[in-house]
Amino acid sequence: MIRALISVFLALAGPLAAQELTLPQTAQQISDRSSTLDSYDLPTGPFADGAVPSRTVEGQVERYTWRLQAGSSTTLQLLAPLRDQIEAQGYEILFECEARVCGGFDFRFGTEVVPTPDMYVAIQDYRFLAAQKGQTVLSLLVSRDTPDGYVQMIRVTPFDAPAPAPIVVEQSVDGGQGLLAELQQNGHVILDDLHFRTGEVALGDGPFASLALLAGFLTDNPGLRLALVGNTDDTGDLVANIRVSTRRAEAVRSRLIEAYGVAADRIEAQGVGYLAPITTNATPEGRDLNRRVEAVLLVN
């Protein structure tokens, strides 16, 4: 995984209590709908008895959304790192649920969501979290509209709490050493920032950071080659899946050759269909993870 990160610093109780959250490099802030005086109904449980149970909090309400390239990441994979960081900062998780447990359609439309296109929520594929630290509360809502992921954060600081510092977005890049280190250590790496249009084999417009990193790596290591291997879930028959996975791998190979000037004899493309899953195909999340292109390191 590319370990370049966007750091979102939230000073939730003054400058000395700053919280740092990290989002993938591809994350882009879409909206900022902050109010110095407003109220927010913080969900405290799943939809039940015709309503979403909530607690009304008043004060400064900040509403932010981000869009990112989710690739094959599940909603849990998007939320879990944020949850871990919130807990590490002393937040108590008040309530957490995934779409079905939350109440699906009823929960989605019974709680506050920033309107589309700034926030997208798939009725059967989202996760919600509510947390509190001192007098400050916040909620996180994540969902996907493949290949994009969406994150919504709402933070409320009551009137009698110290005024929070403004959010500052900084980008910290490590040169892609995470992806390249994984490639060299394990001999292969999933290119999880790539995306293909649903049902198609054409690679999206990009740009894709992983491809730039691979091109530079091949330039610096003339004795090495790469095999690009396409993988699918188990929907459909094997022959069709091998054909689709091969064409997707070939699309990535063509992009490296045409856009990055990589010599054609240093990259090959193959497809294995559903023969090499990394997780179960019994769930939508598992099928998403299994649909991928990997780079495999070859030594001349």
Side-chain angles (χ1 to χ4, degrees):
M1 176 182 293
I2 300 172
R3 301 190 185 280
L5 299 171
I6 293 178
S7 296
V8 183
F9 296 93
L10 308 179
L12 297 182
L16 297 181
Q19 177 187 7
E20 177 181 307
L21 299 180
T22 59
L23 294 167
Q25 181 189 15
T26 58
Q28 296 181 335
Q29 184 174 330
I30 302 302
S31 66
D32 173 354
R33 300 170 181 241
S34 299
S35 303
T36 56
L37 180 59
D38 204 347
S39 63
Y40 170 55
D41 293 329
L42 178 73
T44 56
F47 180 87
D49 299 325
V52 175
S54 63
R55 172 161 58 98
T56 300
V57 287
E58 298 179 340
Q60 178 173 318
V61 182
E62 299 161 289
R63 302 169 175 91
Y64 299 92
T65 61
W66 292 268
R67 182 175 63 235
L68 62 151
Q69 290 181 7
S72 59
S73 298
T74 65
T75 53
L76 180 57
Q77 288 174 310
L78 296 177
L79 178 64
L82 303 178
R83 178 184 60 200
D84 292 344
Q85 294 166 59
I86 287 172
E87 290 184 304
Q89 290 290 328
Y91 269 81
E92 176 188 0
I93 306 302
L94 303 176
F95 167 61
E96 182 178 358
C97 63
E98 58 85 24
R100 180 181 57 83
V101 176
C102 292
F105 175 93
D106 294 313
F107 184 91
R108 156 65 179 86
F109 287 96
T111 188
E112 181 175 336
V113 178
V114 172
T116 57
D118 294 341
M119 183 62 189
Y120 173 85
V121 181
I123 299 302
Q124 298 181 342
D125 191 17
Y126 67 83
R127 288 179 183 268
F128 176 85
L129 176 152
Q132 180 170 359
K133 180 180 180 181
Q135 301 178 69
T136 299
V137 300
L138 68 82
S139 66
L140 290 171
L141 176 65
V142 302
S143 188
R144 299 183 310 152
D145 181 22
T146 306
D148 295 324
Y150 288 84
V151 178
Q152 171 184 288
M153 185 192 71
I154 299 179
R155 174 178 70 169
V156 184
T157 306
F159 308 119
D160 54 351
I167 290 179
V168 179
V169 179
E170 296 185 359
Q171 185 166 323
S172 174
V173 180
D174 74 348
Q177 294 306 308
L179 180 141
L180 298 181
E182 185 175 346
L183 175 64
Q184 294 175 85
Q185 178 178 343
N186 300 329
H188 67 99
V189 65
I190 297 173
L191 308 179
D192 58 6
D193 64 334
L194 303 183
H195 65 81
F196 297 85
R197 298 178 180 88
T198 303
E200 298 183 9
V201 298
L203 181 62
D205 294 334
F208 302 111
S210 63
L211 300 188
L213 291 169
L214 292 179
F217 176 77
L218 289 174
T219 299
D220 295 338
N221 297 274
L224 300 177
R225 296 182 298 118
L226 292 176
L228 300 169
V229 182
N231 298 262
T232 67
D233 61 29
D234 64 354
T235 303
D237 63 52
L238 179 58
V239 173
N241 275 286
I242 289 178
R243 181 168 58 250
V244 168
S245 60
T246 300
R247 292 182 65 187
R248 286 185 169 178
E250 289 173 342
V252 179
R253 178 178 181 269
S254 295
R255 183 68 58 85
L256 281 167
I257 294 170
E258 297 168 4
Y260 297 94
V262 176
D265 61 358
R266 300 194 63 194
I267 329 170
E268 61 183 75
Q270 303 290 339
V272 297
Y274 54 64
L275 295 178
I278 56 174
T279 188
T280 177
N281 278 301
T283 64
E285 294 81 6
R287 291 192 292 273
D288 281 345
L289 288 173
N290 286 330
R291 293 192 294 268
R292 68 198 190 278
V293 174
E294 295 191 26
V296 177
L297 190 59
L298 305 174
V299 180
N300 288 338

